[in-house]
Amino acid sequence: MNANTPGADSAADASWEHILELRRKRPRSGWIRASLWVACGLLLTAWTTTGIRMQDLFGASRMERLDRFLREDAMPRPLRDGSGSLWSWMAELWHSGAGTAMLATLLIAVLAIVLAAFLAWFFALLGARNLMSAHPFLPHATADAKSCPQTLPRIARAIRLLCVLLRGIPEYIWAFLLLAMLGSSAWPAVLALAIHNAGILGRLGSETVENLSPAPLRAMTMMGASRRVVAFTAIFPLSLGRYLLYFFYRFETCVREATVLGMLGVLSLGYEIVEARAHGRYDEMLFYVVLAMLLVLAADILSDLARRWLRRGM
Amino acid sequence: MAKAPAIPPAPLTPSRRTTILFGLALVAVLSFLALGLQWGQLLPHGGGVEIAGNFFAAAVQPAFTYEGSDFLPADAPAFLLKVGLALWRTLLYAVAAISLALVLGAVFGVLASEGFWQGRRGGAAVRLAVRWFMAVLRSVHELIWALLFLAAIGLSPAAAVMAIALPYGGTLAKVFAEMLDESSPAAANALHGLGARPLQVFLFGRLPRALADIAAYAFYRFECAVRSSAVLGFFGYTTLGLYIRQSFENLHYREVWAYLYALLLLVLALEAWSSQIRRRFVA
């Protein structure tokens, strides 16, 4: 502590004491400590009891299989048997369905995310606790909550629970279930993505609405504006920017998910991938995987540009 | 939940707002037309009507025992035990996968961040290479990774874990790097001014500032990993997806709902856990 004390040793001791003092006074939480223990326990169990052994990936028979896969199965046909050029092989695949599949994948994602955003906007409003209270945007509303009617807060809680249910089930499982009911069209994939993402955007949207600065909203309410008027004339424009950031972030993940939903039988990249695999045409499968990768990378860049544009504000 | 945007968006002018909204609506309508969709297809038809009716009727009465025990092997475990074990394996696959992904994400996230390379040479080239490598890893979906592993080396639990860990590692690395770079540089600058070496500046100036965000995001990805590991069951791994698929194909919808509710309970529990942790980190 005191650097002026004669003798360097005692100065060092003092500052060491101070460090120990700081260490003793650091904020500690039993919850986080318990969480770490639980995490360690889970980690040990996962790596010891499940039969997940990484050396299994490098066994002799696996390596042999991998070697054959890379040398023969996955090697593009023209390179393997010298028939025709690689370029014409790719062009042929592109024209025989890969191009349309790639486009369909993108369109499924676009339609799904717009539907999800539209639906989730209502979830966002109905799930926002500051709007859905007996006295919206007033600070004392929560203080005497017991005397206020609880209908609106209950609706908000129900909407939040609904959002959890929608996003808790993975897109792939939604698509699997919907496909059996709706039959074969692009709808099961679109709806599966829309349902899951509506749950996510609904939750993020509610948080955005709750985090808005309350002053303008309160002022409007005090002057007699109804909830609906506040929602459409103030909350909507104030929260749109942030909501769009989330929108583009989810768009990116939507494209990524859309590349696999086709595996269930919807005509898109995933479908081509499993079809090629089912027929043992691993070279074609790899080609479709690369297309899927390029599509996701392109969506990544697009969404990044859009978000940058939103932040810059032109 | 997902990463909150650190940099807020600029306010939107009314005309820009209209352009964006109309643009998005237009793109959606064009997609609808190009996909050849019809509104009529939204309603179940043919055999789908019965499936939909039975399936949603089963939602309010999930199974607690096997439905239709005719074809059960004699040594089948009690149904709820089977659900519990499937859920447990789903969780453990996710734990194993996220632990590998965290290692990948930490190493490559640090290498891809600007802060780590301050005061060192060679940063630009390494960062570019790492960023592209991570982008490739994460742009291949975990189910596609799973298929690739199946085709290349066959069915193996380790391959399922790798299928999740590779893309998740790519995502974690990207986000970790962003969080390290977006955190306040004040402490790092102060340490640099005091003559600390680049590694010290990074470890004691950069890292602590970003650690809370990093922990919260890692936990969110863990929740996602649980869902991914459930879906991997559709490819033959013994997680929830396998049993959801089997029960659905046997028309045992009440069993399907039991598995779905089990998954939802796990997801809810993890969300509650993570929000508790986050509250304590922020405080």
Side-chain angles (χ1 to χ4, degrees), chain A residues 1 20 66 104 106 167 203 209 219 262:
Chain A
M1 236 353 246
L20 288 180
L66 180 66
L106 179 69
R167 69 170 184 269
R203 153 84 184 263
V209 173

Side-chain angles (χ1 to χ4, degrees), chain A residues 170, chain B residues 141-143 164 168 223-233 239:
Chain B
H141 192 279
E142 51 271 17
L143 290 186
I164 301 180
Y168 277 58
E223 292 168 39
C224 298
V226 168
R227 283 192 286 261
S228 292
S229 120
V231 170
L232 273 183
T239 58

